[in-house]
Amino acid sequence: MLSDVTTPQDLDDRFREALAALAAPHQPRDPARPVTDDTTLTGARVLDLFDAQVTSRQLDLAGRWLRSFGEGFYTIGSAGHEGNAAVAAALRATDPALLHYRSGAFYCVRAGQAADAARPDPADDPADRPDQPTDADPAPPDDDASRADGPGPKEPADAPPTAGAAADRPLPPGYAEAARDVLRGMVASSREPIAGGRHKVFGRADLAVVPTTSTIASHLPRAVGMGLAVERLRRLDTAGRRAGEGVRVGSGGGAAHAPWPPDAIVVCSFGDASVNHASATAAFNTAGWYDHTGLRIPVLFVCEDNGLGISVRSPKGWVETALRSRPGIRYFAADGGDLVRAYEVAAEAAAWVRRHRRPAVLHLSTVRLMGHAGADAETAYRGADEIAADLDRDPLVGTARLLVEAGFASGDELLARYDEIGWQVRRIAEEVLDEPKLAAPAEVVAPLAPRRPVRVARAVADAAARAGGPGAGARAEAFGGKPPELTGPLTLAQSINAALADGMLDHPQMAVFGEDVGAKGGVYGVTKGLRDRFGAARVFDTLLDETSILGLGLGAGLAGMLPVPEIQYLAYLHNAEDQVRGEAATMQFFSQGAFRNPMVVRVAGLAYQEGFGGHFHNDNSVAVLRDVPGLVIAVPARPDDAAPMLRTCLASAAVDGSVCVFLEPIALYHTRDLYADGDGEWLAPYAEPGAWTGGHVPIGRARVYGVGSAEDVTIITFGNGVRMSLRAAATLADEGIGVRVVDLRWLAPLPVADIIREAAATGRVLVVDETRRSGGVGEGVIAALVDAGYVGAARRVAGVDSFVPLGPAARQVLVSEEAITQGARTLLAR
């Protein structure tokens, strides 16, 4: 029946039938011998890889079994993709891997590799040491009859089957541990080693497996960034950094070591449908673009091609054509159903990338068995003949046939092995069922965005001590003998430039990059001179693609660097926002802090540019950023805030792994005056290092200005609104109205305590929000007041729900000084 073809029970039955049809070898062979004449894989190694494939298959069956009675929450399996075991075998356990969600066999092999590397020499292990229970093999739980039935391993959990000779071998070290990891993820156990029950991912720090929360290609730009960083760190070692010395990152003065060996390569896997995703296009293009320029990026892309994206078929030949046509990326191809050929080609590809430090793609043909996931009725879009043809290409059957025909096992022995592993997987599945789940909001969000303000403040103080002490000479040289504190009052752009230079001096692993930031010094001159001072390796131009810019930052941060990418305009950040939301902000959350990607993203944004308008250069929407959990959003309005806020962001990234967006108001970059032409009151001196500690600006703290008596109205604002509100407050003061102007400075997290305090001081609040009325910052401020029980008067002045038009028409939709003044008067008239 067609309905039987895709069920777990049917897949299990068909595998048994296939093994039963395999004859016993006429002459058993020594497992130490190669499995075929044209490979280095021995029979013993293939038996190990078969175990990894079987473990992965049994995990899929267990996942469907768990789901059948409501205890499993994830059923996307690896059935049909078990050929990726060969890819893992061809790599080193220290090569960082970002894995597709059908990577069960790869994960098992990687866990086995790590266990082998960590295994002590038996000669050093006392023979009479008593066995100790471990987490990988605890006492079995009480029997639960309701969990003993359903599609899954055949044998009951309390009776392991009788094994033949090939089945008598112990399960390779790490495989049971890997199975426990995966099953814990399926049941959302808080003991799962990487995400802690927050998501089902393949990931573990000690396995160099970086979790990916969505494998629809969004992790590929990060992989390119990791490759770039790995190669940069390798070149530092080649240039003379002592092995094991590490590179100090962060203003705390501590040491962080490159997490991977100098000759490591990065591997990332994805499905054939993901080839069409914009993120994949960006990653391939960036890798090829840099390769074309001569910059080496050692990344092995692995496309696991089963011909389907859920129900949508990849057109015949399209994936190969798309992958072969990528300039700068070497193409390799293999059949994932042929373990030996897959291993040999994967080994060749990995060796090529490792030797040449250049990108390559391995196109691995696979099949998809049991549909996309447990709820997928693939019979609605696939015919019986097509599904049956895929079953005939079952990679487990292919490996079993290889072992039998080569004389290393009989079909009966391999079937016994299959059942033995199935029994062990079922036992582990029953054990993890009763493990605790995340049970409180605080538990869920604990690793999201750790905030250690005391350590951040100490890091800023340490940076000041270095800049004014042992680093004073290098600082003076970098600034050409005239540090910025001696140059007089600075504009916002000049202050940011000086703070970036000080950051580069204090953070050896800090890199500034983006479109036009190098030779040109940024389109507004904010990075002017930095490349000349610190070199093209640390300040460099990128290709014009925001997804790739952020991906480079994500990978670089993961590898131990402190990336400061620039997005040229806020409007262009939206092209790549998922790299912030889905990749950057989730890393610590889904790895419980085991991995982090510290990053400070500089963005030129907001409106009010005179003579240079239009939507893309005056975008005033930040709602998409404020919706990202854990993201820090800084908006410096004044020069004397910009430098300390940037120092805080850099320190927070280095100390806590924070992801910060440093949103710089374009219209204020070169503003000099506040009230009248020539008054110079929007300029400010740059603080010398001895004053950095006293001027430290913690995340989430506002700045308050008092105008007149400051007793009548509280204006809460940010960015361009600060300057407009101060000008409006001066007008109101002439009318005898005292105003408090509160510069939020931080849009996430909002300075709620300061908002409540300053609102209560007058009982009248005017929120001046230069973003839009719907989804704007003002909504968050009003909500904070309501949540705190504020009972005074409140009013908003906000931008119109519109894109910003070109020329004078922009004034029709943006906040004006007149609107602020009138809003305050309206409040007082109530």
Side-chain angles (χ1 to χ4, degrees):
M1 290 178 61
L2 184 63
S3 60
D4 293 334
V5 175
T6 59
T7 66
Q9 193 69 54
D10 182 75
L11 185 62
D12 180 77
D13 288 342
R14 285 174 180 262
F15 180 74
R16 293 173 181 281
E17 292 170 5
L19 261 63
L22 296 176
H26 298 295
Q27 182 67 40
R29 296 177 65 193
D30 180 0
R33 297 183 59 185
V35 71
T36 62
D37 293 336
D38 56 350
T39 183
T40 58
L41 279 177
T42 65
R45 186 61 177 136
V46 173
L47 284 166
D48 281 348
L49 295 178
F50 177 74
D51 284 350
Q53 293 180 315
V54 169
T55 302
S56 178
R57 178 64 58 83
Q58 294 290 0
L59 284 170
D60 291 348
L61 300 180
R64 302 297 179 99
W65 171 69
L66 289 165
R67 185 70 185 92
S68 70
F69 52 89
E71 292 288 351
F73 307 102
Y74 193 91
T75 54
I76 296 178
S78 303
H81 283 246
E82 291 92 351
N84 56 40
V87 180
L91 294 163
R92 298 176 185 170
T94 51
D95 290 329
L98 298 91
L99 297 180
H100 185 250
Y101 46 43
R102 301 193 191 277
S103 298
F106 185 113
Y107 187 73
C108 289
V109 172
R110 176 59 64 91
Q113 290 171 327
D116 287 342
R119 190 188 308 169
D121 190 323
D124 297 330
D125 199 15
D128 59 350
R129 181 177 298 169
D131 291 337
Q132 297 293 324
T134 65
D135 183 54
D137 190 20
D142 293 336
D143 179 59
D144 185 344
S146 68
R147 299 171 180 166
D149 298 318
K154 290 287 188 179
E155 298 294 334
D158 56 353
T162 302
D168 287 336
R169 302 180 303 98
L171 195 63
Y175 287 14
E177 188 177 2
R180 189 175 297 275
D181 292 347
V182 174
L183 289 165
R184 280 173 163 165
M186 289 179 182
V187 302
S189 166
S190 62
R191 294 178 183 171
E192 192 271 333
I194 192 70
R198 292 169 184 82
H199 196 42
K200 162 61 180 66
V201 297
F202 290 112
R204 243 175 64 190
D206 62 322
L207 303 184
V209 176
V210 180
T212 61
T213 57
S214 173
T215 51
I216 312 303
S218 62
H219 60 302
L220 269 62
R222 179 199 294 277
V224 175
M226 289 168 66
L228 181 72
V230 164
E231 184 62 9
R232 180 176 184 273
L233 294 172
R234 185 184 74 85
R235 289 175 180 270
L236 281 176
D237 279 327
T238 302
R241 182 162 60 90
R242 294 188 303 273
E245 179 184 29
V247 177
R248 180 172 59 80
V249 292
S251 53
H257 297 271
W260 306 297
D263 64 343
I265 67 173
V266 179
V267 60
C268 59
S269 57
F270 52 97
D272 55 287
S274 294
V275 167
N276 307 299
H277 198 279
S279 296
T281 298
F284 298 143
N285 186 67
T286 302
W289 189 88
Y290 277 117
D291 186 78
H292 186 75
T293 67
L295 187 64
R296 301 310 187 203
I297 297 184
V299 176
L300 177 61
F301 299 103
V302 180
C303 178
E304 298 185 15
D305 182 1
N306 61 30
L308 289 162
I310 305 184
S311 66
V312 180
R313 290 174 175 81
S314 293
K316 186 175 179 60
W318 167 249
V319 176
E320 178 179 352
T321 300
L323 294 177
R324 278 188 178 276
S325 65
R326 300 294 180 184
I329 301 178
R330 182 74 173 263
Y331 178 84
F332 297 87
D335 179 2
D338 182 341
L339 189 73
V340 170
R341 289 299 99 214
Y343 171 79
E344 293 297 336
V345 174
E348 180 187 1
W352 189 89
V353 174
R354 200 179 309 278
R355 180 171 63 253
H356 295 286
R357 317 305 293 169
R358 297 177 63 189
V361 61
L362 171 59
H363 183 193
L364 193 70
S365 61
T366 64
V367 295
R368 190 187 72 186
L369 306 178
M370 294 197 295
H372 174 71
D376 178 29
E378 65 174 350
T379 52
Y381 54 88
R382 300 186 76 194
D385 292 345
E386 181 185 355
I387 296 173
D390 276 357
L391 280 164
D392 290 341
R393 295 174 57 203
D394 185 343
L396 257 69
V397 174
T399 304
R401 185 177 295 114
L402 170 69
L403 287 166
V404 171
E405 291 177 354
F408 293 106
S410 69
D412 288 343
E413 288 172 337
L414 294 178
L415 180 58
R417 187 64 174 167
Y418 175 82
D419 283 336
E420 165 66 19
I421 293 173
W423 172 81
Q424 292 191 45
V425 168
R426 171 70 76 91
R427 176 179 58 81
I428 295 170
E430 292 186 346
E431 290 167 3
V432 302
L433 278 173
D434 297 319
E435 291 185 349
K437 309 292 192 292
L438 295 169
E443 290 183 34
V444 174
V445 303
L448 175 63
R451 297 276 184 264
R452 294 178 290 185
V454 174
R455 294 191 184 186
V456 170
R458 186 184 305 126
V460 171
D462 290 345
R466 287 190 292 272
R475 185 169 184 265
E477 182 181 354
F479 284 108
K482 194 173 184 180
E485 60 267 25
L486 300 181
T487 60
L490 305 180
T491 63
L492 180 69
Q494 291 169 333
S495 184
I496 294 171
N497 178 277
L500 286 170
D502 271 324
M504 297 284 281
L505 287 166
D506 193 58
H507 301 267
Q509 288 304 95
M510 178 174 158
V512 174
F513 53 90
E515 301 164 32
D516 301 304
V517 304
K520 184 177 177 64
V523 292
Y524 294 97
V526 181
T527 58
K528 185 177 181 179
L530 293 181
R531 191 182 74 164
D532 293 338
R533 294 177 193 172
F534 300 102
R538 298 187 65 194
V539 182
F540 56 91
D541 294 323
T542 65
L543 70 176
L544 195 156
D545 178 54
E546 287 72 25
T547 295
S548 296
I549 292 170
L550 293 175
L552 292 175
L554 290 171
L558 199 63
M561 295 175 64
L562 183 55
V564 183
E566 177 185 298
I567 301 298
Q568 200 164 98
Y569 291 102
L570 177 60
Y572 302 136
L573 177 67
H574 305 311
N575 301 337
E577 184 270 335
D578 185 57
Q579 291 294 299
V580 175
R581 180 197 64 84
E583 292 291 318
T586 59
M587 180 51 69
Q588 295 199 90
F589 182 70
F590 288 122
S591 72
Q592 301 183 94
F595 293 103
R596 60 185 211 170
N597 38 221
M599 186 163 64
V600 180
V601 185
R602 293 182 45 253
V603 184
L606 303 176
Y608 298 98
Q609 289 191 86
E610 293 294 333
F612 191 62
H615 162 61
F616 284 103
H617 300 101
N618 281 285
D619 187 14
N620 64 342
S621 175
V622 297
V624 72
L625 292 173
R626 293 192 64 249
D627 185 54
V628 179
L631 191 69
V632 173
I633 307 175
V635 184
R638 294 184 60 103
D640 48 346
D641 277 335
M645 290 174 69
L646 183 54
R647 279 192 288 271
T648 296
C649 287
L650 292 172
S652 181
V655 170
D656 291 329
S658 302
V659 179
C660 305
V661 173
F662 199 74
L663 182 58
E664 303 163 7
I666 299 172
L668 298 178
Y669 268 149
H670 306 299
T671 298
R672 306 176 70 85
D673 306 321
L674 175 55
Y675 300 114
D677 290 346
D679 68 15
E681 292 198 31
W682 205 254
L683 303 174
Y686 190 86
E688 53 89 19
W692 292 358
T693 301
H696 173 58
V697 178
I699 291 174
R701 290 302 306 272
R703 179 173 180 173
V704 182
Y705 301 83
V707 182
S709 67
E711 295 178 352
D712 300 312
V713 177
T714 298
I715 298 178
I716 300 176
T717 188
F718 63 95
N720 294 287
V722 178
R723 184 171 182 271
M724 289 189 293
S725 295
L726 287 172
R727 289 168 62 92
T731 299
L732 293 168
D734 290 342
E735 301 172 11
I737 301 171
V739 179
R740 291 170 183 253
V741 177
V742 179
D743 178 2
L744 294 170
R745 297 195 292 196
W746 307 92
L747 303 188
L750 281 171
V752 174
D754 295 333
I755 290 171
I756 304 306
R757 183 189 64 248
E758 298 304 322
T762 65
R764 299 183 186 89
V765 173
L766 180 67
V767 179
V768 175
D769 180 5
E770 65 175 289
T771 62
R772 302 167 192 167
R773 179 166 291 273
S774 298
V777 177
E779 290 183 342
V781 174
I782 295 295
L785 291 169
V786 171
D787 289 345
Y790 172 73
V791 294
R795 183 180 177 85
R796 276 195 299 160
V797 176
V800 174
D801 288 344
S802 169
F803 300 108
V804 179
L806 188 67
R811 300 182 191 130
Q812 305 304 313
V813 298
L814 297 175
V815 173
S816 66
E817 291 176 30
E818 293 75 14
I820 297 170
T821 306
Q822 187 56 45
R825 293 184 184 125
T826 302
L827 272 176
L828 288 165
R830 287 185 177 179

